[in-house]
Every structure is written in C-alpha cells, then in structure tokens.
Amino acid sequence: MSNTLNGLVVLVTGASSGIGEATALALSAEGARVAVGARRADRLESLARKAPGEVLALELDVTDQESVRAAVAATVERFGALDVLVNNAGVMLNGPIVGADITQWTRMVETNLLGSMYMVHAGLPHLLERRGTIVQVSSTSGRIASAYAGVYAATKFGITAFSESLRQEVTTRGVRVVVIEPGFVATELTGHNTDPTMRAAAQNMAASMRTLQPEDIANAVVYAVTQPEHVAVNEILIRPTDQTQ
C-alpha cells in the first residue's frame, strides 16, 4: 500500500462489481478510506475483505434521494469528511427506439443521470469544505451516439453537460471535476441488456478486440485524483486500442 491519498475519504457508487469495485480497491491501495455503495450489499462485504485499507459498505440506490443522502451522511459520520466522490453507478439497456420498453428508458435516466446528480447534490457541501474532487464515470457514448443506444447515450451526454456546468461553478472554490469516458470495458454492464440481439452484438464486439479491464479505468481515476491541487484533469477518454468508434 502507498500513501498517495494519505487517509482521504472516498465514496464510490456502483462498487459491487466492475469499474466501481476496481476503483475502490485501487484507491484503498493508495491509502484512502473508502465508502462503497451499491444495491448488492453482499458483494460489498466481499470487497471490504479484499481491500488493503478501511472500507465502509453501504447499501445504496442512487435513484432514491433518501438513500443517497443517507449514504453521504454515513460516510461523513464514519470518517469525518468526504474528499472524493466517484459516481460510477450505471445501467445499459440498449435496443431500438421503435417499440421500446419505456420503463427501461426511465431506469437508465434515473440511474445514470439523475443518480449521479443526486449524489453530487448530497455530497457537494462536504466536498466544497474539503476542496475535494468529483469523478464522473461517463462513456465514449457521451461523445458519439450510435444506433440502438440512443437513451444510454443521452444519459452519458447529460453527464458530460452537467459536469461541465458543475466545473464552472465550483472550480474557483477548489473543487475539481473529472469526467472519465471509457470505451469497451469487460464488465457486467453489457449483460444488463434484455434484448437478445443487443446481448449478442455486445458479445461479438467484445470478441473482436482486446477490451479494457476495470483496473485500466481504476488506474485513470487514481491518476486524476492524485494530481497536485493546482492541476485539474477534467477529462480522460480511454478506449481499447482496437476500438474504432
């Protein structure tokens, strides 16, 4: 374990698997005290056992404002502060717009976009106090929309827009805002798709390239949050070398 983060307090959402889990472990290895939130609380206990540092496991539903406020409050109560917020919770339910199940659209907007906004709103007073850092995990889909992923892309474009507005509001008060835009990563995200055609397309895409691993994105997060206070890494776009779009 290094001491790069020197006991700073981090809250990571969507930490039960994939990028969130890898990020929590990487930040813990850098000396952070880490609160991890997700709906699958049993997985968080397993993560806590693997982490080299102190971890607080929190059952968290980012679509529920009361759950969000409670998670932030529990983090501050346990560790006394909040220095870094990593908004990673997300869901991808791709499919054609014609004949779409609108409830899936609602779920993506509430989780991916509103969920991250709720977390920022709840955590910002503490982050302003500590001159902290907000990491927004977006996607290449927040830059380039593609067929059958319109709503998912809309949520990620929304994260980018919200983050830039947020940056302009808080940067002169010492809070850094970082947008991480991963390309294709080997996680459970594509498994969220209920459309068999979309699941098959994701599997074919994964087989066509050397995909990123969750640890690759975690390393990018660590890089951004460990920069000197006067350095704001506002955006990191990271794709597999083999990914063209």
Side-chain angles (χ1 to χ4, degrees):
M1 182 192 299
S2 72
N3 294 310
T4 308
L5 295 177
N6 295 316
L8 296 185
V9 178
V10 180
L11 172 55
V12 182
T13 73
S16 59
S17 66
I19 293 171
E21 179 183 24
T23 298
L25 291 171
L27 294 172
S28 178
E30 294 294 330
R33 294 173 291 168
V34 183
V36 290
R39 290 177 299 172
R40 297 177 294 186
D42 57 324
R43 291 198 177 192
L44 299 179
E45 296 298 340
S46 173
L47 185 161
R49 289 192 293 270
K50 290 188 288 186
E54 186 177 3
V55 170
L56 171 64
L58 300 166
E59 187 170 353
L60 169 63
D61 179 354
V62 298
T63 70
D64 182 335
Q65 295 183 55
E66 183 176 343
S67 178
V68 165
R69 288 190 291 267
V72 171
T75 301
V76 174
E77 180 179 0
R78 170 72 170 270
F79 297 124
L82 178 60
D83 298 288
V84 180
L85 170 63
V86 181
N87 270 321
N88 170 72
V91 63
M92 183 168 66
L93 300 165
N94 289 341
I97 294 170
V98 175
D101 178 352
I102 301 300
T103 62
Q104 294 192 346
W105 292 7
T106 301
R107 184 180 171 197
M108 281 189 282
V109 171
E110 289 182 341
T111 303
N112 301 355
L113 182 55
L114 284 174
S116 68
M117 294 165 71
Y118 293 157
M119 290 300 308
V120 167
H121 184 264
L124 195 53
H126 305 285
L127 293 159
L128 285 166
E129 181 180 342
R130 301 284 288 189
R131 298 173 68 87
T133 304
I134 299 166
V135 179
Q136 304 275 72
V137 179
S138 182
S139 169
T140 52
S141 293
R143 284 173 168 254
I144 302 171
S146 57
Y148 310 111
V151 178
Y152 179 75
T155 65
K156 296 300 185 177
F157 270 78
I159 287 172
T160 300
F162 178 77
S163 299
E164 175 56 20
S165 179
L166 173 66
R167 185 195 67 80
Q168 293 180 28
E169 290 186 28
V170 301
T171 190
T172 57
R173 301 176 68 180
V175 173
R176 300 181 296 184
V177 178
V178 182
V179 178
I180 307 287
E181 299 164 302
F184 201 103
V185 185
T187 71
E188 297 178 358
L189 189 66
T190 57
H192 296 165
N193 287 315
T194 58
D195 185 317
T197 302
M198 293 297 100
R199 291 175 70 99
Q203 290 170 355
N204 290 338
M205 185 175 180
S208 72
M209 69 178 74
R210 297 164 293 172
T211 60
L212 297 173
Q213 298 302 309
E215 293 75 16
D216 298 321
I217 310 306
N219 290 338
V221 174
V222 170
Y223 167 77
V225 302
T226 55
Q227 293 303 299
E229 286 187 5
H230 71 287
V231 177
V233 180
N234 295 132
E235 188 174 26
I236 298 178
L237 172 63
I238 176 170
R239 293 184 178 99
T241 301
D242 303 332
Q243 184 174 336
T244 56
Q245 189 175 28

